[in-house]
Amino acid sequence: MGHDVIRSCPNVVCGLTGWVKGPGDLNKVVRYTMEVIDVELDDSPKEECGVLGVFSPDQSAARVGFFALFALQHRGQESAGLAVSDGEKVRLEVGMGLVNQVFDQEVLGRLPGHIAVGHTRYSTTGASTIRNAQPVYCQSQVGEIAVAHNGNLINARELRLEMELDGEHFNGSSDSEILARIIVRNLHKGPEAAVAEVMKRAKGAYSVTVLTPKMLIGFRDPFGIRPLVVGRLGDEGYVIASETCAFNPVGATPVVELEAGEMVIIDSRGMRFACAAKSPRKAMCLFEMIYFARPDSVMYGTSIYTARERMGQQLAREHPVDADIVVPVPDSGFPAALGYSQVSKIPFREGMIKSRYIHRTFIQPDQRMRELGVKMKLSPIVDHLKGQRVVLVDDSIVRGTTTKQIVKLLFDSGAMEVHVRITAPPIKNPCFYGIDMARKRELAAANLSIPELCKYLGATSLGYLSLEGAMSSVGRPHDTFCTACFSGDYPVPVPDDIGKDSLEDLADVGEIAALNHAQLRLIEI
């Protein structure tokens, strides 16, 4: 591992090393690997990624980026990548797996430079493949850039066709590469003009960090659907990240959350902000506050932990029940369960212990082990559950299969009653803005009434937090959120013909054409 990639190939694979011929007779290093088997033991929604930017004149940007990406690991556990500039060359390293599986001391030592962008990712297309890894690298006569993107463009097909008719050549077919190439084509006009052109043409959700040989750029789409925050690093350094939790491990301090349509430009002259597009309205994803963001992060000026605790308190007011203990689904259910306990005066107790190391493995479980379902991830504390009337607090129900298994697990452990309480309102619509969520026909709340769903789950009772209660718990005006998955109100209109996988229908989505003929899949999933 650790080879420089400084030409036209943004996505490489770690593992065995080999040389292959690329387009234009350019030799490129390709690192093959077995694809990771992802043991999907839950049906929870998955965020597409976390993005990062580092400007650190007095220390290695790769090392800072490594530890900051560690703190963003919850946003993507499938692949990780860093692109680093030393002021002249941009070098890239991406690979499948966790941050500490992709990077080690040797690899970081081969990424010299003081500017970096980074990325952690979940796949939205099923199989875990290197083709989806970022940052995306582009090279042109204007110069090298690397782009890390969180979100999803709903007009990717239209944009690509327009650009190809205008003479643009694409190596791959991801919406992130479309963003990168719009920037490349306009960067000679200045970063403000380049980002303004992105916002003029790209529709959907995008929080982005961009690396050039001498500059770091960050920006949010005109609705601000995905988060992005800027912090200071020492006297002359800066960090841009999806969440503030990335700052503390590297000694950075938050400065400001970028506004919808706003951009930040960081170079040797310092940091400056610009409005790249007028915002029609703010529409921060409410599900970030409920589920995705790490509890120690701050968004919209609100502690995520505190917001979730208030959601639990409000849930107890809206759906009280006579019970003996309040039990969280680990780990995301803890703050809300504490809040429920505080208002209801029902004692809080842990009822399950989560294995944090089973999620990803190179070993595929056999059918009998797959049938164990949540038992591979959650181990009940029988002494806490036996003979108890339990309030089970969780953040969301998507398909309902995981919740059904957990309810059964509690009854099998001796619980007398299981009252399910959910801090997200019923999820009735798919997300087109960067969350890997089920199709509408697979969403439990879109197809079953609450009594029907309660019966399906095998629960004693079922109660969801209202949309009003969820938004009020955050403490921000209600018109500043995207609530599309709950309400069907999409801030960026979604074309009627777009489906959950519409952007994935393009051939080899996210894969770079330079590697198409060399890509080796040792395991077919």
Side-chain angles (χ1 to χ4, degrees):
M1 296 176 65
H3 298 281
D4 293 346
V5 181
I6 57 173
R7 287 201 165 88
S8 61
C9 172
N11 291 335
V12 293
V13 190
C14 60
L16 305 176
T17 301
W19 291 87
V20 297
K21 278 287 192 178
D25 295 326
L26 294 175
N27 287 319
K28 299 174 182 65
V29 177
V30 181
R31 294 181 290 283
Y32 299 120
T33 188
M34 291 191 304
E35 296 188 25
V36 179
I37 299 295
D38 196 349
V39 184
E40 285 295 344
L41 301 179
D42 65 75
D43 65 351
S44 58
K46 294 181 173 57
E47 176 70 31
E48 216 176 329
C49 59
V51 299
L52 176 73
V54 175
F55 187 90
S56 56
D58 58 350
Q59 56 186 312
S60 164
R63 295 180 189 277
V64 174
F66 171 81
F67 289 104
L69 282 181
F70 234 105
L72 295 174
Q73 189 75 85
H74 62 289
R75 296 184 72 88
Q77 300 171 20
E78 187 168 277
S79 67
L82 277 170
V84 182
S85 171
D86 61 4
E88 295 181 0
K89 290 183 178 180
V90 173
R91 296 174 173 87
L92 177 74
E93 185 75 33
V94 297
M96 300 306 296
L98 304 178
V99 174
N100 66 343
Q101 293 172 321
V102 176
F103 299 99
D104 58 23
Q105 191 80 6
E106 179 183 359
V107 172
L108 293 175
R110 293 178 180 176
L111 293 173
H114 64 287
I115 316 175
V117 294
H119 195 269
T120 62
R121 180 182 171 84
Y122 271 118
S123 169
T124 59
T125 58
S128 173
T129 61
I130 191 66
R131 70 185 65 187
N132 292 318
Q134 292 190 40
V136 171
Y137 176 100
C138 285
Q139 185 180 35
S140 76
Q141 293 180 344
V142 177
E144 301 173 304
I145 71 167
V147 173
H149 166 216
N150 177 23
N152 215 30
L153 303 186
I154 62 172
N155 66 333
R157 286 177 175 273
E158 173 188 341
L159 277 177
R160 178 173 172 132
L161 178 60
E162 288 177 2
M163 295 174 71
E164 286 179 332
L165 290 174
D166 198 30
E168 184 67 68
H169 171 71
F170 285 83
N171 286 331
S173 50
S174 69
D175 57 351
S176 301
E177 188 185 1
I178 293 172
L179 289 174
R181 292 191 176 278
I182 293 176
I183 295 169
V184 166
R185 295 185 70 173
N186 293 276
L187 202 53
H188 66 282
K189 305 173 187 176
E192 293 92 342
V195 175
E197 185 66 15
V198 169
M199 295 197 183
K200 176 182 176 182
R201 303 182 65 181
K203 301 183 187 304
Y206 45 92
S207 282
V208 180
T209 53
V210 181
L211 171 74
T212 77
K214 300 182 184 299
M215 186 184 302
L216 175 64
I217 304 167
F219 60 92
R220 293 177 76 181
D221 69 75
F223 292 85
I225 296 172
R226 297 279 156 238
L228 201 62
V229 61
V230 183
R232 289 298 302 264
L233 179 67
D235 294 331
E236 298 180 349
Y238 303 90
V239 177
I240 307 171
S242 293
E243 297 183 36
T244 59
C245 65
F247 293 162
N248 187 63
V250 299
T253 55
V255 173
V256 65
E257 293 181 49
L258 287 184
E259 296 287 344
E262 188 177 25
M263 65 180 295
V264 60
I265 305 155
I266 300 169
D267 56 23
S268 59
R269 296 172 292 179
M271 176 173 65
R272 65 186 188 275
F273 298 86
C275 178
K278 184 177 179 180
S279 176
R281 55 162 288 205
K282 294 180 181 179
M284 169 76 173
C285 173
L286 181 60
F287 213 59
E288 290 274 359
M289 314 293 294
I290 295 171
Y291 175 75
F292 284 122
R294 216 169 79 168
D296 56 329
S297 287
V298 174
M299 288 183 181
Y300 263 168
T302 301
S303 160
I304 296 297
Y305 192 100
T306 300
R308 290 175 184 169
E309 194 172 27
R310 288 198 293 252
M311 289 175 191
Q313 294 169 349
Q314 182 60 25
L315 186 58
R317 299 184 188 102
E318 294 183 11
H319 296 285
V321 66
D322 188 15
D324 301 311
I325 58 174
V326 176
V327 170
V329 174
D331 289 317
S332 56
F334 273 90
L338 284 170
Y340 195 102
S341 175
Q342 291 163 3
V343 169
S344 68
K345 308 302 182 184
I346 301 171
F348 171 94
R349 297 209 78 179
E350 289 191 63
M352 295 164 282
I353 300 297
K354 179 180 180 181
S355 171
R356 292 166 177 80
Y357 308 103
I358 193 66
H359 178 68
R360 297 186 56 77
T361 178
F362 281 93
I363 308 301
Q364 186 172 16
D366 59 27
Q367 181 59 31
R368 187 190 69 81
M369 295 181 70
R370 284 189 181 276
E371 289 172 356
L372 292 175
V374 297
K375 291 183 179 179
M376 291 184 70
K377 286 184 70 173
L378 298 174
S379 179
I381 305 176
V382 176
D383 287 349
H384 291 186
L385 299 169
K386 189 174 182 179
Q388 301 296 297
R389 297 171 299 169
V390 178
V391 179
L392 179 69
V393 179
D394 201 1
D395 49 69
S396 59
I397 295 177
V398 183
R399 295 176 179 86
T401 54
T402 299
T403 307
K404 180 182 178 72
Q405 292 179 67
I406 294 174
V407 169
K408 184 178 185 302
L409 181 69
L410 298 190
F411 276 124
D412 288 347
S413 300
M416 301 298 292
E417 298 175 357
V418 179
H419 302 272
V420 177
R421 297 295 181 265
I422 304 298
T423 54
I427 298 173
K428 297 183 176 181
N429 306 279
C431 177
F432 299 97
Y433 304 140
I435 297 175
D436 181 15
M437 193 177 288
R439 298 171 180 86
K440 188 161 187 173
R441 66 175 180 270
E442 299 170 335
L443 295 171
N447 297 281
L448 298 173
S449 66
I450 290 181
E452 289 171 337
L453 182 52
C454 182
K455 182 178 180 180
Y456 167 75
L457 297 176
T460 309
S461 69
L462 171 63
Y464 285 94
L465 181 62
S466 66
L467 181 57
E468 174 76 20
M471 291 189 291
S472 297
S473 298
V474 180
R476 295 282 296 187
H478 296 180
D479 60 359
T480 62
F481 292 108
C482 173
T483 62
C485 59
F486 309 124
S487 65
D489 178 18
Y490 292 94
V492 185
V494 178
D496 292 336
D497 60 348
I498 192 171
K500 171 67 177 66
D501 299 317
S502 292
L503 300 180
E504 306 301 338
D505 292 338
L506 294 170
D508 295 321
V509 171
E511 184 174 6
I512 300 307
L515 290 182
N516 283 355
H517 64 290
Q519 185 73 31
L520 180 62
R521 299 189 64 195
L522 301 184
I523 297 177
E524 292 290 337
I525 302 177

